[in-house]
C-alpha cells in the first residue's frame, strides 16, 4: 500500500511498499507501465557532472551483520550547479529491513537525486541519511559501497577495465565470481570483446551502449552482495528480450535485501 508521502518535499513522491516476500513479478507490471513513458533529458549531463566524492575519512563502523534499515530524514538538496533551485525540500522516507519499496513520481521530481544522495555522489545540504542508524556521511567510501549498490538509468562506470568495474564493491572477488555474475546479469557480450574482461571502458576505452552498461552494473551489484539495492529504472536501456533475462537476474539479487525500485 501507499506509505509515507514525503511531507515537505517540493515535488511529491509516492512511496509504495511491500514487506519481504513480494516477488519481482509483482513489481514488473508497475515497471512495464511506467518505464516506457519516462523521459530523461538530463541523463547525459548527469553522468558528466557526477564524480564520486573523494574520500579519505577513516569511517564509522556499521553494525555487523548489517540489517539494511534505511532512513532519509528531513533531506534538503540543490545541485551545486544550480544552488538556487531546490530539488528536495525536506524529504522523509523510512525503508525497513527487507522491504521492497517502489518510488514513483513525475519525471524530474527527484527520484534519481534520492539515489545519488543515498550513494553519496552528492551530500544533502540539510538532514541526514542513516543506514542502520549510522549517518552515511560518516562511513568510508568502501563501507558504503559494500553496503549499498545502485543500478541506474545511466550507470557510472570508471575509466578502467570491465573487470575492475565489476569488482568495484568487492576488489577481492575472484575472476570466477565475476564471470558467474556477468552470466547471471546476461552480460555475455563481455566475452566477445577482443580483450574480454580486460577491455578498458570510458574515456580511454570503448564506449558501451546503455544496455551494456546496465548489465555491467547489475553484475557489479551481484558481486558486491549489498544489503541495500537501488534500482533506478534498472532495465530502461534494454530491449524486451534482454529485459526479461535481466529482470530474472535482478529477482535473484533482490532476494532478502532491502530494495528501492524507482518505477
Ligand atoms: N546534475 C544535475 N545538475 C543540476 N540539476 C540537476 C542535475 N540532475 C538533475 N537535476 C535536476 O533535478 C531535478 C530532479 O532530477 P532527477 O533526475 O532526480 O529526477 P527524476 O525524478 O529521477 O526524473 P526521471 O523520472 O525523469 O528520471 C530535475 O529538475 C533535474 O533537472
Ligand atoms: Mg531519474
Amino acid at each position: 500500500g501507499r506509505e509515507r508521502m514525503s511531507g515537505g518535499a517540493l515535488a511529491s513522491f509516492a512511496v509504495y511498499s511491500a514487506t519481504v516476500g513480494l516477488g519481482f513479478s509483482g513489481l514488473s507490471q508497475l515497471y512495464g507501465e511506467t518505464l516506457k513513458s519516462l523521459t530523461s533529458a538530463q541523463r547525459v549531463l548527469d553522468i558528466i557532472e557526477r564524480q564520486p566524492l573523494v574520500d579519505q575519512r577513516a569511517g564509522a563502523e556499521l553494525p555487523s551483520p548489517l540489517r539494511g534499515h534505511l532512513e532519509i530524514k528531513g533531506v534538503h538538496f540543490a545541485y551545486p550547479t544550480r544552488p538556487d533551485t531546490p530539488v528536495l525540500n525536506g524529504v522523509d522516507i523510512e525503508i525497513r529491513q527487507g522491504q521492497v519499496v517502489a518510488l514513483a513520481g513525475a519525471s524530474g521530481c527527484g527520484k534519481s537525486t534520492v539515489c545519488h544522495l543515498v550513494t553519496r555522489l552528492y551530500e544533502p545540504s540539510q538532514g541526514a541519511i542513516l543506514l542502520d542508524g549510522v549517518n552515511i556521511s560518516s562511513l568510508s567510501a568502501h563501507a558504503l559501497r559494500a553496503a549499498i549498490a545502485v543500478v541506474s538509468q545511466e550507470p557510472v562506470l570508471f575509466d578502467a577495465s570491465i573487470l575492475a568495474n565489476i569488482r568495484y564493491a568487492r576488489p577481492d572477488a575472484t575472476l570466477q565470481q565475476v564471470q558467474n555474475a556477468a552470466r547471471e546479469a546476461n552480460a555475455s557480450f563481455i566475452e566477445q570483446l577482443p580483450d574480454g574482461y580486460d577491455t578498458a571502458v570510458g574515456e580511454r576505452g570503448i564506449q558501451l551502449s546503455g544496455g551494456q552498461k546496465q548489465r555491467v552494473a547489475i553484475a557489479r551489484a551481484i558481486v558486491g552482495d549489498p544489503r541495500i539495492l537501488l534500482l533506478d529504472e534498472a532495465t530502461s536501456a534494454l530491449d524486451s528480450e534482454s529485459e526479461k533475462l535481466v529482470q530474472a537476474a535482478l529477482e535473484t539479487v533482490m532476494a532478502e535485501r532491502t530494495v528501492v525500485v524507482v518505477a
Side-chain angles (χ1 to χ4, degrees), residues 38-40 42-43 46 107-108 110-113 116 153 232-233 262:
L38 291 171
T39 59
S40 57
Q42 80 287 354
R43 282 176 196 170
D46 243 20
S107 180
K111 303 178 297 295
S112 295
T113 302
H116 298 164
Q153 289 177 326
D232 187 355
E233 298 188 51
V262 174

Side-chain angles (χ1 to χ4, degrees), residues 55-62 120 137-144:
D55 196 290
Q56 301 299 339
R57 51 197 132 183
E61 293 286 317
L62 280 170
R120 224 168 66 200
S137 72
S138 66
L139 297 173
S140 70
H142 177 77
L144 186 64

Side-chain angles (χ1 to χ4, degrees), residues 63-76:
S64 175
L66 193 62
R67 287 174 297 130
H69 179 215
L70 186 65
E71 290 168 280
I72 296 171
K73 283 187 155 172
V75 164
H76 291 246

